Amino acid sequence: MALWGGRFSGQSSELFKLFNDSLPVDFRLLEQDIQGSVAWAEAITQAGVLTQEECQTLTQALAELLAEVKDTPEQIIASGAEDIHSFVESQLIAKVGDLGKKLHTGRSRNDQVATDLKLWCKQEGAHLLSLLIEVKQGLLALAERELDAVMPGYTHLQRAQPVTFGHWALAYVEMFERDISRLQDALNRLNTCPLGCGALAGTAYAIDRQALAASLGFASATLNSLDSVSDRDHVIELCSDASISMMHLSRMAEDMIFFNSGEANFIELADNVTSGSSLMPQKKNPDALELIRGKAGRVYGSLMGILTTMKALPLAYNKDMQEDKEGLFDVMDSWSLCLKMAALVLEGVKVNRTNALAAAQQGYANATELADYLVGKGMPFRQAHHVVGEVVLHAIAESKPLEALPLEVLRGYADIIAEDVYPHLSIDSCLAKRNILGGTAVEQVKAALTAKQAK
């Protein structure tokens, strides 16, 4: 049943119906549509449109409908209704007769769908917050397990300076904490209720919109009816927050894919998040991490889609906005699945400390320490930088680490070098010197971990 047929003498073509109908997508808003309808029934009862008995009959019928169909989306889609609002209304009329036709008094599908979608965003956003926290906790657990495991840090994907695996894990904790903060902000901003704004100009009935908003769990009612029915900032923000978070997940996945490779062999992934090859029996592929990395692009696409849809729309509601939900639903589903998978990956990862330490000892990661040593002896840093570069060239030619070069060789480049240089070139010394807020010294990593665990 269409909600707008009286104006028309002809029938919609089957192609137009297929093109126009949104039920295959917005059936997911069933619970929110019924929740909003119950609140609206109570609001128009207060306004004198319904009697208390009529309101009770409607709310009971709506509760029955939710219980009957919430777990059978195929039943909703098979109804052939135009959208979830039409489905609920037609089912309600089938249950209570003409009384069901009174429920939409003073309400438009414009403020109805805006309210439904915000309710859904609030619910799903809270779920995503819990998943982000779960990933953060997984990283904290990994940081605690591998607090002092030494590995090479990288810039330009070249070995740079040694860090600890705990420090690496806490870097991603920082990222996911920002994701949590961004999502909380978005949920705070969308916590306003559009119901009662009608099609675009507000309802003609004496609705207490602040009380209506409170009854639906919103912090307040929206303040401008034109904006209220055409605002999709919350959809854009959630897609944006998801995109940034997926970027973080993808970066973490890429790091771990490399760490898991035969070339690095710093970590081993658990069997439950990897797969094998149909041809090569020796393979153990990091498919979970690769799919996380791949799905980031899918989420970005939805963000660009809703931005492009909204970029030139005039006030107020336009049918273009029907395109808001499919991308948003896919974004939230993908983000949720990737966060769950990331938590599972972190739970089972094992660090190969021997290989990670050996890699940190290679690649002349202690070259900066030698430069700092020379600075401590009075040499200007730029000169020390140049001298150490020459020493590294010599060591490469000899296929030796810096700490294995004899003292007389080192003194050939700078006669201020003495026997006391060698302790400065050890991995332990490299780490211990970074004992500053945000540094990779084990003492600092412990303090950072303690602070994060206390939150």
Side-chain angles (χ1 to χ4, degrees), residues 22-31 65-81 84 87:
S22 60
L23 189 65
V25 173
D26 65 23
F27 74 88
R28 292 179 63 162
L29 298 178
L30 170 73
E31 186 173 348
L65 175 60
L66 179 61
E68 290 166 3
V69 301
K70 69 175 182 178
D71 295 324
T72 55
E74 63 279 1
Q75 180 182 345
I76 303 173
I77 296 170
S79 71
I84 191 60
F87 172 81

Side-chain angles (χ1 to χ4, degrees), residues 75-309:
Q75 180 182 345
I76 303 173
I77 296 170
S79 71
E82 180 182 345
D83 53 32
I84 191 60
H85 323 298
S86 304
F87 172 81
V88 170
E89 185 164 326
S90 64
Q91 294 297 310
L92 186 61
I93 292 169
K95 283 180 174 292
V96 301
D98 285 347
L99 174 59
K101 298 177 182 179
K102 297 178 72 173
L103 177 60
H104 205 58
T105 304
R107 182 175 65 166
S108 166
R109 279 190 298 179
N110 294 356
D111 61 343
Q112 189 176 0
V113 69
T115 303
D116 290 358
L117 193 55
K118 278 193 169 182
L119 286 169
W120 187 88
C121 288
K122 280 163 58 74
Q123 176 181 304
E124 291 302 306
H127 176 59
L128 264 298
L129 272 177
S130 69
L131 294 179
L132 282 166
I133 291 169
E134 187 177 341
V135 171
K136 173 188 167 182
Q137 293 300 326
L139 284 162
L140 289 175
L142 179 59
E144 186 171 30
R145 291 199 307 270
E146 305 297 343
L147 182 79
D148 57 352
V150 181
M151 60 178 279
Y154 292 84
T155 63
H156 308 282
L157 207 56
Q158 304 293 312
R159 290 173 189 160
Q161 292 176 302
V163 296
T164 67
F165 209 89
H167 196 55
W168 174 88
L170 289 176
Y172 283 101
V173 169
E174 295 291 333
M175 296 185 205
F176 289 114
E177 284 188 340
R178 294 195 294 271
D179 293 340
I180 290 167
S181 176
R182 263 185 292 271
L183 182 52
Q184 288 171 331
D185 286 347
L187 291 174
N188 287 337
R189 264 186 294 278
L190 70 82
N191 198 18
T192 56
C193 180
L195 198 55
C197 287
L200 76 160
T203 185
Y205 294 84
I207 302 297
D208 183 343
R209 292 193 58 233
Q210 295 292 8
L212 176 58
S215 72
L216 285 168
F218 287 100
S220 64
T222 56
L223 299 179
N224 184 284
S225 60
L226 284 170
D227 176 62
S228 299
V229 299
S230 60
D231 169 32
R232 294 298 184 271
D233 285 6
H234 45 288
V235 176
I236 296 169
E237 266 201 275
L238 289 176
C239 290
S240 175
D241 291 352
S243 295
I244 295 171
S245 182
M246 286 298 299
M247 176 267 291
H248 292 153
L249 284 166
S250 183
R251 292 183 71 185
M252 184 174 76
E254 172 61 19
D255 268 355
M256 296 180 77
I257 289 166
F258 170 66
F259 294 165
N260 182 69
S261 68
E263 282 67 27
N265 196 18
F266 300 163
I267 65 171
E268 181 182 355
L269 300 174
D271 289 352
N272 63 348
V273 294
T274 54
S275 71
S277 165
S278 62
L279 176 66
M280 298 167 283
Q282 82 279 12
K283 295 292 293 297
K284 185 178 181 182
N285 299 324
D287 284 9
L289 293 170
E290 290 174 352
L291 283 168
I292 289 172
R293 187 176 60 185
K295 286 180 185 293
R298 177 175 179 161
V299 171
Y300 295 175
S302 292
L303 171 60
M304 291 310 301
I306 185 60
L307 282 169
T308 306
T309 295

Side-chain angles (χ1 to χ4, degrees), residues 360-436:
Q361 291 171 325
Q362 299 165 10
Y364 306 99
N366 53 359
T368 304
E369 311 315 310
L370 180 54
D372 287 341
Y373 170 85
L374 293 173
V375 168
K377 294 286 187 176
M379 184 180 290
F381 178 76
R382 278 293 158 224
Q383 183 182 349
H385 187 283
H386 181 79
V387 167
V388 174
E390 293 180 326
V391 175
V392 169
L393 277 176
H394 181 98
I396 291 171
E398 295 286 328
S399 298
K400 292 180 179 179
L402 295 181
E403 62 270 26
L405 293 176
L407 181 60
E408 60 269 20
V409 170
L410 293 174
R411 287 180 59 83
Y413 291 95
D415 59 10
I416 57 175
I417 297 176
E419 191 71 40
D420 64 348
V421 70
Y422 292 104
H424 290 268
L425 300 180
S426 70
I427 287 289
D428 289 343
S429 175
C430 292
L431 293 173
K433 285 181 180 177
R434 270 69 193 172
N435 191 17
I436 189 172

